[in-house]
Amino acid sequence: MLTDREQQILNWIRINPSITQKEIAERAHISRSSVAVHISNLTKKGAILGRRYVLADKPYIAVVGGTNMDLAGHPAYAPRAHDTMPGTVTVSAGGTARNIAHNLALLGCNVKLITVFGDDIRATELVNDCRKLNIDIDNSITIPGGITSMHLFIMDEQGDMTLAISDMKILDQLTPEALESRLGVINHAQVCVVDTNISIECLAYLADHVRVPLYCDTVSTSKALKVKGLIGKLDTIKPNQLEVETLTGVHITDDRSMKLAAKKLLDQGVKRVVISLGARGAYAADRNNVVRIPSFASNIVSTTGAGDTMMAAITWAQTRGESLANTCAAGVAAAAICTESYSTVNPALSADNVLSRMAAAGYDSQQ
């Protein structure tokens, strides 16, 4: 709720977005320091975004979590332990939250990414990449002297990851206190997507204070455990099969056990479960429906990033008001597109391409 003075200042900014604090002070007959306090409050409440008085009129999606630089090795043939082999090494922007934000931008969504950057050449590249994609990073954190996260992984000859090492210690700098100062921005979003790269304390803070639908990508089996006590506060959760087994204790061998695992999550209060099944597609359930979508045909060169792309497409479909079946189909279609590129995010992804793949598989958008 805005105060009368805050609403007055917001109206002046709406009429003239380039108005200065000095001009506002003169018009309101108050000091510049008082104006600064009102501007800070307007930012915290999400009425304006960042330092350039960007008005929060356009719908947007808030994404909170990890950003890193991906270093990927693609061997020319089946990798052998303790051996060097020819292949291709690629460097690209990555991180679950950043990848989700990137994919959402390609799908035509306005995105505000809240993450942590270091103070090095990798951070400069990541920041520039976000700006080229029109991803708003005004509410992200830069740590002076900090080292930007790095994710190193090796693929096999089929394009599946065999081993990875993540150095994401800088994300410890994202604290509940930092999120509190950005809560207004988050709560003015259509939805908030979070990954489990951030701390348990941050996840708990968001679960308790976010008032818009909260979507969660569980990232990995070890990191999925961070949300085990928070599932009832989520709107949508997207684990893969191993992650959902970790969260529920159900060993999945068939559709019956898959349904039981999904039900265990739904019984805790989450509204929607989408389980990524890799080459077998995806399984989705809510309180009224269950759907299993097989994978779509694709020319696979790398599966890295497909889960992040699926999460983005699920979020995009839900903000469009799609059914559970179409939401799941959108995720499977987008993941198929992702696998056709060596990049973690396929630049060919678009809303039209996703809808085209869905239609080819018999899933017509309702929008």
Side-chain angles (χ1 to χ4, degrees), residues 98-109 133 305-314 316 329-341 343-358:
R98 195 222 67 89
N99 290 344
I100 292 169
H102 187 164
N103 282 298
L104 284 167
L106 292 177
L107 290 168
C109 301
L133 294 163
D308 301 341
T309 304
M310 178 179 284
M311 183 76 240
I314 289 166
W316 166 77
V332 173
I337 293 170
C338 176
T339 65
E340 295 177 339
S341 169
S343 298
T344 310
V345 176
N346 189 344
L349 182 72
S350 69
D352 286 345
N353 285 344
V354 170
L355 292 171
S356 176
R357 297 250 181 152
M358 289 172 60

Side-chain angles (χ1 to χ4, degrees), residues 65-69 93-99 113-117 126-127 130 140 148-150 167-168 170-171 195 197:
T67 294
N68 50 251
M69 195 64 77
T96 300
R98 195 222 67 89
N99 290 344
L113 175 62
I114 299 174
T115 188
V116 182
F117 297 108
L126 289 167
V127 166
C130 285
S140 290
T148 299
S149 296
M150 175 70 81
D167 180 359
M168 304 186 75
I170 197 169
L171 267 182
D195 73 29
N197 284 308

Side-chain angles (χ1 to χ4, degrees), residues 282-322:
Y283 178 98
D286 59 21
R287 288 178 175 79
N288 301 311
N289 301 286
V290 170
V291 62
R292 173 76 176 268
I293 307 291
S295 60
F296 293 175
S298 61
N299 299 313
I300 299 174
V301 297
S302 173
T303 60
T304 302
D308 301 341
T309 304
M310 178 179 284
M311 183 76 240
I314 289 166
T315 305
W316 166 77
Q318 279 297 295
T319 60
R320 286 166 52 88
E322 297 285 0

Side-chain angles (χ1 to χ4, degrees), residues 26 39 58 77 89 117 142 224 257 269 279 288 316 321 334:
E26 291 173 350
I39 294 298
K58 292 182 179 179
Y77 48 82
V89 176
F117 297 108
T142 297
S257 52
N288 301 311
W316 166 77

Side-chain angles (χ1 to χ4, degrees), residues 8 22 32 51 111 121 142 237 269 278 312 319:
Q8 182 184 46
K22 180 175 182 292
R32 284 189 63 179
R51 294 179 293 275
V111 188
I121 187 64
T142 297
I237 188 169
T319 60

Side-chain angles (χ1 to χ4, degrees), residues 11-332:
N11 290 339
W12 290 337
I13 292 172
R14 196 180 299 276
I15 295 169
N16 178 17
S18 63
I19 192 171
T20 66
Q21 290 193 13
K22 180 175 182 292
E23 290 170 333
I24 293 173
E26 291 173 350
R27 187 175 297 186
H29 304 293
I30 57 178
S31 67
R32 284 189 63 179
S33 60
S34 295
V35 173
V37 171
H38 289 307
I39 294 298
S40 176
N41 289 337
L42 285 168
T43 302
K44 289 178 181 178
K45 293 178 181 180
I48 59 177
L49 309 170
R51 294 179 293 275
R52 295 187 295 275
Y53 301 162
V54 178
L55 299 175
D57 289 333
K58 292 182 179 179
Y60 61 88
I61 296 168
V63 183
V64 184
T67 294
N68 50 251
M69 195 64 77
D70 284 343
L71 182 63
H74 308 271
Y77 48 82
R80 293 192 298 266
H82 314 297
D83 194 11
T84 299
M85 65 199 69
T88 303
V89 176
T90 59
V91 180
S92 61
T96 300
R98 195 222 67 89
N99 290 344
I100 292 169
H102 187 164
N103 282 298
L104 284 167
L106 292 177
L107 290 168
C109 301
N110 296 308
V111 188
K112 302 190 184 302
L113 175 62
I114 299 174
T115 188
V116 182
F117 297 108
D119 184 18
D120 51 25
I121 187 64
R122 294 199 295 268
T124 300
E125 293 174 5
L126 289 167
V127 166
N128 289 340
D129 187 68
C130 285
R131 287 174 175 161
K132 287 177 184 176
L133 294 163
N134 292 319
I135 296 172
D136 186 327
I137 54 172
D138 282 355
N139 292 282
S140 290
I141 301 169
T142 297
I143 305 301
I147 299 173
T148 299
S149 296
M150 175 70 81
H151 182 63
L152 169 67
F153 55 94
I154 305 295
M155 315 297 288
D156 64 18
E157 71 279 15
Q158 274 88 41
D160 291 322
M161 183 179 69
T162 61
L163 180 67
I165 299 174
S166 287
D167 180 359
M168 304 186 75
K169 292 185 286 292
I170 197 169
L171 267 182
D172 293 342
Q173 302 297 321
L174 184 62
T175 63
E177 291 75 21
L179 290 173
E180 182 179 12
S181 67
R182 293 158 173 82
L183 190 60
V185 173
I186 295 171
N187 277 334
H188 277 76
Q190 291 174 288
V191 302
C192 174
V193 184
V194 64
D195 73 29
T196 55
N197 284 308
I198 62 177
S199 69
I200 295 175
E201 293 77 14
C202 284
L203 289 166
Y205 178 84
L206 291 171
D208 287 338
H209 294 88
V210 170
R211 298 293 174 255
V212 297
L214 187 60
Y215 291 23
C216 180
D217 189 302
T218 49
V219 180
S220 70
T221 53
S222 60
K223 293 178 180 179
L225 291 171
K226 295 180 183 181
V227 294
K228 194 166 185 178
L230 306 173
I231 290 170
K233 298 178 181 181
L234 303 176
D235 181 280
T236 299
I237 188 169
K238 187 206 72 68
N240 64 20
Q241 181 172 320
L242 290 176
E243 291 156 10
V244 78
E245 288 179 343
T246 298
L247 288 170
T248 64
V250 176
H251 179 53
I252 296 174
T253 57
D254 52 22
D255 281 355
R256 182 179 178 183
S257 52
M258 186 91 66
K259 184 176 182 178
L260 176 60
K263 185 177 184 300
K264 282 203 167 190
L265 294 178
L266 292 168
D267 286 348
Q268 293 180 56
V270 68
K271 294 181 181 178
R272 192 175 300 103
V273 178
V274 181
I275 303 172
S276 171
L277 301 174
R280 294 178 290 129
Y283 178 98
D286 59 21
R287 288 178 175 79
N288 301 311
N289 301 286
V290 170
V291 62
R292 173 76 176 268
I293 307 291
S295 60
F296 293 175
S298 61
N299 299 313
I300 299 174
V301 297
S302 173
T303 60
T304 302
D308 301 341
T309 304
M310 178 179 284
M311 183 76 240
I314 289 166
T315 305
W316 166 77
Q318 279 297 295
T319 60
R320 286 166 52 88
E322 297 285 0
S323 66
L324 181 69
N326 277 0
T327 294
C328 189
V332 173

